[in-house]
Amino acid sequence: MTNQIEKDEDAPKQFTRPSLAGPQTRVQLIVTAALLTAVVFVVTRFLGIPLGDGWLNLGDSSIAASALLLSHPLVALAAGLGSALSNLTSGHLIFAPATFIIKGSMGYVLYLFAKRGSFAWFAVGVLCAEIIMLVGYTAYIFLLVDVGSLASIPGNLFQAAANFVLALLLYVPIMKLRGVLWQQR
């Protein structure tokens, strides 16, 4: 029996997917959604990387992480509101309404895929969310400026790719955190 215990202790620890349990009470749900709104705002507003004439915005990664942590439709509100508040406080007022809708849609799509509980479905969800971002902002800028929307495509493509990779890299640590936060007691 002792040999079996020693053998199990020496075995490498593998990541196992935690249950998709989430907040257990309405208060936990509301507080979690509010905290994730703040996280999306802070990451979107303050963790940008200067890039040429613009910024590489890492907010989409925080939306993806929020969808993994919350796994509830309220992630759409956290994504939209946190991102729109970033626009409002950074002087990009004209983008706030579109951002609320686009990022909220991204959050909802990410929730739909993240709740399936696998890395593959999450990756598909992140890809779909980034397509929503690309199409949404291109269409919005086209309505405002017309031809200028085409000039924003390369920057948005780079941002989408960077956020896609970062979101996938965050999957395992965020799922581990989720397991700790929402374990059944």
Side-chain angles (χ1 to χ4, degrees):
M1 191 71 136
T2 305
N3 290 340
Q4 181 65 31
I5 292 172
E6 289 174 9
K7 191 181 257 186
D8 290 341
E9 289 176 359
D10 292 335
K13 303 282 186 210
Q14 292 188 8
F15 174 71
T16 56
R17 186 170 9 133
S19 95
L20 288 178
Q24 303 299 308
T25 67
R26 177 172 267 162
V27 170
Q28 287 178 340
L29 179 65
I30 293 168
V31 168
T32 303
L35 287 171
L36 291 174
T37 301
V39 167
V40 170
F41 166 72
V42 168
V43 170
T44 303
R45 178 71 172 91
F46 299 108
L47 295 183
I49 300 168
L51 184 68
D53 292 335
W55 288 85
L56 171 59
N57 177 327
L58 301 175
D60 294 359
S61 300
S62 65
I63 294 170
S66 297
L68 289 173
L69 283 173
L70 189 56
S71 192
H72 188 277
L74 271 179
V75 77
L77 181 62
L81 188 57
S83 299
L85 286 172
S86 175
N87 284 151
L88 291 172
T89 60
S90 65
H92 298 101
L93 303 174
I94 191 119
F95 286 100
T99 294
F100 181 77
I101 293 167
I102 293 165
K103 300 298 182 167
S105 299
M106 290 173 65
Y108 189 74
V109 165
L110 281 161
Y111 148 72
L112 291 174
F113 282 94
K115 76 176 186 172
R116 292 175 175 262
S118 76
F119 178 78
W121 280 114
F122 176 69
V124 171
V126 175
L127 180 62
C128 290
E130 292 304 332
I131 290 169
I132 289 169
M133 185 271 296
L134 288 166
V135 171
Y137 280 115
T138 302
Y140 187 70
I141 294 169
F142 182 79
L143 290 172
L144 289 179
V145 185
D146 196 21
V147 180
S149 63
L150 300 178
S152 70
I153 292 174
N156 282 340
L157 275 171
F158 183 74
Q159 180 170 305
N163 277 287
F164 178 81
V165 170
L166 184 56
L168 297 185
L169 291 173
L170 289 173
Y171 181 82
V172 170
I174 294 296
M175 289 303 279
K176 285 182 179 180
L177 176 61
R178 180 190 175 94
V180 170
L181 289 175
W182 308 126
Q183 66 184 348
Q184 300 293 329
R185 296 173 205 254

